[in-house]
Amino acid sequence: MNRTPSSAAPAREQTDLAAGADGGPSLSNGLKQRHLSMIALGGVIGAGLFVGSREGIAAAGPSIVLAYAVSGALVMLVMRMLGEMAAANPASGSFSVHAERSIGSWAGFTVGWMFTALLCVAVAAEALGAADVMHQWFPSTEPWMWVLLFMVIFTGTNLAAVSNFGEFEFWFAALKVAAIGIFLVLGVLAILGVLPGTQAPGASHLTGDGGFLPKGVDGLMVGLLASVFAYGGLETVTIAAAESKDPVRGVARAVRTAMWRIALFYVGSMAVIVTVIPWSAPSIAKSGPYVAVLDYLKIPAAGQIMNVVILVALLSAVNANIYGSSRMAYSLISRGQGPAVLGKVSSGVPRRAVLLCSAFGFLAVLFSFLWPTTVFQWLLNMVGAAVLVVWGFIAVAQLRMRRQLEREAPEKLVVKMWAFPVLTWVALAGIVAVLLLMLRDDNQRLQLLFTGGFGVVLTLVGLLRQQSLGSRQSEPTDH
């Protein structure tokens, strides 16, 4: 593998935090520790958990608990690897910077722009989801009106000081954490039979209705795929940490608490759902698993309460995805991996990068209205497996960077990957296994092919740029 340009990469990477692409003002450090802590805590609770879990339950039945536990273990390994690198070298480009430094500039280019595209398309998808919720409440309005409103609000939020982004995410996350916490408490009380009007269900719903694996291993595999993609977006906390006053401490704390957060919020809530009510209950497919449980427990206005929480989760994702995509784009531009004109920083904010990513997201929304089954679907397919590509680059970068850190700067290993390198290889094997599972499903296979094609194009462009840079650096100069 040709790594010629990467030898010059560290010097360029330092500008990622120190200065804009034009050598001007730097990014601010306006995120406080409480912002980072709540972003880490609430970032794990996304719309994928509230909305997407119904498909996983329908496919896997009670074994969805096992599916979320297995995929959660994979995500924990990925976050631990990312945490090790981010704590050693904090950067707003996060894993893109680490991939460039460890593998080559082509790798940083590929994974960085793929992640940026993923978040931009996700902005559109989440904004459309939030607009649908508002349309249900106000049927006389048009969804595009709400999309426009949300895009303007959160573009404005991200154009202002980074502390505004942090404050929005702090309160969004606080509401999500409170909602899921109350749900878990009510569910556990119902399981124990101490909630008024309920009887302890025991294991009847776990072993009845077809057993723990009602649709066999195939159902479990489908549920596993559904659960993997529900975890996407956790990487943003390592991007945000670079704009905090103490990035090393912030990343270390976020990563170290990842295990109990995933176990509690994801695995715990799935266990509550399939224990309290039958996995095949029609109310799960109709209203969603969380609303179905709350209705069963006779919680007043359960549907509207969860709609508010889902709306908050969707708006939080819009806000976080605009932030994450703009910071990744800014990092790429500051390292010469994009047009320098978009790298200007004003008042500590890369406003041109914010406008670029917001405009792309809004353009994707327009595509969803104009060509929902063609152009917009192609965009969704292009980034359908992108999170797995990102995780793969993280694992390979960590394998290479860990050895370098042990030789050159062992004091930077504040967060260490468990049982290195065994668990890193286990994570890589898990990522490959999920990719192979995607090949078994027609829809997932199409996404994998589109994402693979997108990745190949980015890789070729990145390799050409790396070769060009290497040629220019090797040219003799006149003195």
Side-chain angles (χ1 to χ4, degrees):
M1 166 182 314
N2 180 13
R3 296 183 61 227
T4 305
S6 65
S7 61
R12 293 198 312 276
E13 286 156 8
Q14 296 308 315
T15 66
D16 187 60
L17 289 173
D22 58 357
S26 64
L27 294 179
S28 71
N29 58 354
L31 290 178
K32 301 177 181 177
Q33 186 59 46
R34 68 178 179 90
H35 292 150
L36 269 189
S37 298
M38 195 55 78
I39 289 170
L41 190 60
V44 77
I45 308 171
L49 176 62
F50 294 117
V51 181
S53 55
R54 78 174 80 188
E55 284 78 16
I57 293 172
S63 67
I64 191 65
V65 178
L66 179 59
Y68 269 90
V70 171
S71 57
L74 174 60
V75 173
M76 279 188 265
L77 294 179
V78 171
M79 285 300 294
R80 189 75 186 187
M81 289 185 284
L82 183 54
E84 177 182 288
M85 295 185 292
N89 298 295
S92 64
S94 189
F95 45 83
S96 173
V97 170
H98 309 321
E100 177 173 342
R101 187 173 283 188
S102 303
I103 305 171
S105 67
W106 70 268
F109 178 91
T110 300
V111 72
W113 284 117
M114 178 167 281
F115 187 73
T116 301
L118 166 64
L119 293 190
C120 287
V121 175
V123 166
E126 307 288 7
L128 287 166
D132 284 340
V133 173
M134 297 302 295
H135 182 62
Q136 292 173 26
W137 288 341
F138 305 98
S140 61
T141 61
E142 294 293 333
W144 68 264
M145 298 165 55
W146 295 109
V147 171
L148 180 60
L149 176 63
F150 296 146
M151 291 296 292
V152 168
I153 289 174
F154 292 112
T155 299
T157 298
N158 279 276
L159 285 173
V162 70
S163 58
N164 286 359
F165 159 77
E167 206 62 32
F168 263 99
E169 282 305 292
F170 177 86
W171 292 108
F172 279 154
L175 197 152
K176 289 188 292 182
V177 170
I180 202 76
I182 293 170
F183 175 84
L184 290 171
V185 169
L186 291 173
V188 169
L189 292 177
I191 291 170
L192 297 175
V194 298
L195 193 69
T198 63
Q199 293 182 339
S204 61
H205 297 318
L206 297 176
T207 56
D209 304 308
F212 187 72
L213 284 164
K215 296 187 178 180
V217 176
D218 285 344
L220 175 61
M221 294 300 101
V222 175
L224 180 63
L225 285 176
S227 64
V228 164
F229 295 107
Y231 288 109
L234 288 175
E235 307 86 359
T236 304
V237 69
T238 61
I239 296 174
E243 290 188 77
S244 66
K245 297 183 186 304
D246 190 350
V248 175
R249 178 181 168 218
V251 167
R253 178 177 295 183
V255 169
R256 284 168 180 157
T257 59
M259 181 176 293
W260 72 262
R261 287 185 284 117
I262 289 172
L264 180 64
F265 295 141
Y266 276 86
V267 182
S269 61
M270 289 301 109
V272 164
I273 290 165
V274 296
T275 303
V276 171
I277 59 176
W279 69 271
S280 56
S283 57
I284 292 181
K286 179 183 177 182
S287 307
Y290 291 85
V291 174
V293 170
L294 294 175
D295 280 338
Y296 174 79
L297 298 179
K298 298 180 175 59
I299 304 300
Q304 294 305 321
I305 291 171
M306 283 311 302
N307 270 336
V308 171
V309 176
I310 290 170
L311 177 64
V312 166
L314 290 165
L315 294 179
S316 173
V318 172
N319 190 35
N321 289 339
I322 291 176
Y323 171 83
S325 61
S326 66
R327 286 341 187 250
M328 182 60 75
Y330 162 77
S331 173
L332 288 160
I333 292 163
S334 71
R335 289 179 278 134
Q337 303 272 30
V341 68
L342 297 174
K344 184 178 177 60
V345 174
S346 303
S347 302
V349 177
R351 288 176 176 160
R352 293 180 183 177
V354 170
L355 289 173
L356 169 70
C357 296
S358 298
F360 187 93
F362 194 71
L363 191 62
V365 170
L366 293 179
F367 289 156
S368 76
F369 287 117
L370 298 174
W371 303 289
T373 59
T374 53
V375 179
F376 187 63
Q377 190 58 51
W378 296 337
L379 286 175
L380 291 175
N381 287 335
M382 277 173 51
V383 299
V387 68
L388 293 171
V389 176
V390 170
W391 292 353
F393 272 102
I394 289 172
V396 174
Q398 191 267 338
L399 270 175
R400 300 174 73 99
M401 184 176 285
R402 173 64 174 266
R403 298 301 190 195
Q404 182 181 359
L405 286 171
E406 287 177 337
R407 291 193 308 270
E408 300 174 5
E411 71 280 359
K412 288 187 174 183
L413 287 170
V414 179
V415 177
K416 287 187 177 182
M417 177 61 181
W418 306 299
F420 177 83
V422 175
L423 288 184
T424 300
W425 285 109
V426 168
L428 267 172
I431 293 165
V432 172
V434 173
L435 290 171
L436 292 175
L437 282 176
M438 291 183 72
L439 289 173
R440 300 179 58 194
D441 181 84
D442 290 340
N443 292 330
Q444 301 276 7
R445 189 185 307 121
L446 185 63
Q447 288 187 0
L448 189 57
L449 292 174
F450 267 82
T451 305
F454 183 40
V456 167
V457 170
L458 287 174
T459 298
L460 289 175
V461 174
L463 285 170
L464 288 172
R465 293 185 78 265
Q466 176 172 300
Q467 186 177 31
S468 174
L469 179 61
S471 298
R472 288 199 302 270
Q473 288 178 340
S474 62
E475 288 178 358
T477 57
D478 293 329
H479 296 287

